[in-house]
Amino acid sequence: MTAPRRPADSLVTVSVRDTDWEGVRLHVVTGKGGTGKTTVAAALALALASNGRPVLLMEVEGRQGIAQLFDVPPLPYEERRVAVAPADDGRPGGDVFALAVDPQSALIEYLEMFYNLRSAGRALTRLGVLDFATTIAPGLADVLLTGKAAEAVRRRADGRPVYGAVVMDAPPTGRISRFLNVSAEISGLARAGPIRGHAETVRSVIRSPQTAVHFVTLLEEMPVQETIDGITELREVSGGGIQAGGIFVNMVRAGWSPGAMPVLDGPERDAQALAVALKAAGLGEDPELAADLAAELHDEARTRRAQQEQRRRLEAAGQPCYELPLIPDEIDLAALYKLAEAMREQGAA
Ligand SMILES: Nc1ncnc2c1ncn2[C@@H]1O[C@H](COP(=O)(O)OP(=O)(O)O)[C@@H](O)[C@H]1O
Ligand SMILES: [Mg+2]
């Protein structure tokens, strides 16, 4: 379905796709709130599942955004199939599973895994001890959430990974560096024992080439600035240890390509020219309409120029940029497929 991106691909073999994130298995999606983080994470999960392997899409903020998006009942702490990716190159698409992770359930599961303590975990929850634990050990909640992602990435069955990839709808840009870097604090807190071992494992997965942190933005000043700051902060906080991924420029309106921008003379002269053109086209003499049209043209041109400037700033950040179209209607599965296809065409998955 998707054409090979580079001509050289077709010389090798048609079925081998060249994507920008070869080898990445944990895709962390962040961005300024409201820019489309959840939508982009879901579309990315579908795009990755088109490679034929199952993908896990997880959310960590207790918003049930994924359930809403896929129009299914609220997700329990259990992996549920929510969609199937479109076929690609004649190969059937993989399943997309979804999971809503919360720190308490993750801790209970963790206690069971390491101590066979499920019932103890339940009792602790009832007594409110877990809230207490996550309060006195800030960062414990984060490591439990990232820990679940690391576990899903590492999980194997029949000698191979259960999931081809894991996509995390992560906290917003302002919190992402601390969220991902927390295992360092936990390691310092728990000097020995399984929690420390667990934290070290999580840390090594997040700081490996298997993990990339993608940013979602709009072509507007504020979210672009947050993206640039977020990338810088990620590098600084992690000492370059956490890989920044791609920039997903969301809700891009179709329109003039930069090269096809009309040459404008100024609202008055353009209004005159438009009036002449309208008359020539048999649309009558209507100087007011011509003036309105000219004003709109100039407005649009101003917006486009501002967007071009934001594009340039994003490109200067040095990460691959992908543009996703503005979907005019409600985002349903068909819309997610469309966004997933745009991602694949541009080499994001
Ligand atoms: N490409 C798009 N085109 C049109 N609407 C979009 C697009 N991406 C997201 N939206 C809409 O924008 C709103 C915010 O998206 P959402 O994914 O919930 O953002 P976030 O998770 O960052 O808060 C939702 O109403 C969603 O349907
Ligand atoms: Mg969201």
Side-chain angles (χ1 to χ4, degrees):
M1 210 163 103
T2 309
R5 229 162 32 95
R6 289 167 199 147
D9 284 357
S10 56
L11 301 177
V12 186
T13 148
V14 222
S15 65
V16 170
R17 298 182 72 256
D18 182 13
T19 80
D20 294 340
W21 308 106
E22 221 56 66
V24 170
R25 302 209 27 258
L26 176 55
H27 297 262
V28 178
V29 179
T30 185
K32 184 168 158 56
T35 55
K37 214 157 39 75
T38 302
T39 308
V40 169
L44 182 59
L46 284 166
L48 291 164
S50 284
N51 292 324
R53 303 287 322 283
V55 170
L56 178 66
L57 170 63
M58 55 188 278
E59 70 183 331
V60 297
E61 299 224 282
R63 298 236 173 89
Q64 290 290 342
I66 294 173
Q68 275 175 36
L69 189 54
F70 286 95
D71 205 16
V72 298
L75 296 165
Y77 187 67
E78 186 184 294
E79 290 150 45
R80 290 266 166 96
R81 194 177 80 146
V82 290
V84 185
D88 188 67
D89 283 342
R91 189 175 35 183
D95 290 328
V96 173
F97 290 82
L99 173 69
V101 193
D102 65 280
Q104 295 224 343
S105 306
L107 180 54
I108 290 173
E109 185 186 56
Y110 171 81
L111 290 173
E112 182 185 55
M113 229 155 55
F114 286 97
Y115 302 103
N116 205 12
L117 273 180
R118 179 168 281 266
S119 52
R122 291 234 175 84
L124 291 174
T125 313
R126 267 203 312 278
L127 297 170
V129 172
L130 298 191
D131 282 338
F132 180 64
T134 49
T135 310
I136 58 162
L140 178 60
D142 289 350
V143 83
L144 288 166
L145 300 175
T146 49
K148 185 61 195 173
E151 182 272 317
V153 165
R154 288 158 49 88
R155 198 185 309 161
R156 296 176 78 84
D158 303 325
R160 68 174 189 160
V162 169
Y163 290 112
V166 175
V167 179
M168 184 196 273
D169 179 4
T173 328
R175 288 198 285 121
I176 193 66
S177 294
R178 210 158 12 112
F179 177 73
L180 294 174
N181 204 41
V182 73
S183 12
E185 292 163 33
I186 291 290
S187 308
L189 186 96
R191 298 211 176 276
I195 292 252
R196 183 185 171 124
H198 180 64
E200 288 300 338
T201 306
V202 176
R203 190 177 158 84
S204 71
V205 169
I206 288 177
R207 288 169 171 265
S208 76
Q210 282 191 81
T211 298
V213 182
H214 306 296
F215 293 80
V216 182
T217 185
L218 308 176
L219 280 179
E220 292 167 11
E221 169 97 34
M222 291 279 285
V224 165
Q225 189 60 49
E226 270 202 30
T227 301
I228 293 167
D229 293 345
I231 292 172
T232 309
E233 189 182 281
L234 189 68
R235 286 189 191 127
E236 281 168 3
V237 168
S238 74
I242 303 178
Q243 177 181 206
I247 299 172
F248 290 89
V249 182
N250 195 21
M251 306 193 209
V252 177
R253 280 187 305 143
W256 307 329
S257 61
M261 190 93 117
V263 180
L264 302 175
D265 280 335
E268 250 166 61
R269 295 190 54 178
D270 289 326
Q272 282 164 13
L274 275 166
V276 172
L278 286 176
K279 195 173 166 193
L283 295 171
E285 231 162 310
D286 192 342
E288 242 175 71
L289 175 64
D292 285 352
L293 284 174
E296 257 181 56
L297 206 57
H298 278 264
D299 256 10
E300 180 68 13
R302 199 173 308 120
T303 307
R304 296 281 159 180
R305 273 195 298 271
Q307 291 183 342
Q308 267 312 99
E309 169 62 18
Q310 300 309 330
R311 260 193 198 94
R312 269 193 291 275
R313 295 178 68 207
L314 289 173
E315 276 160 16
Q319 302 302 123
C321 295
Y322 313 106
E323 300 216 350
L324 303 176
L326 175 75
I327 305 284
D329 315 303
E330 211 198 319
I331 306 275
D332 56 7
L333 191 59
L336 290 175
Y337 275 16
K338 198 170 162 190
L339 296 174
E341 193 180 321
M343 290 175 179
R344 286 175 71 78
E345 280 168 4
Q346 295 171 76

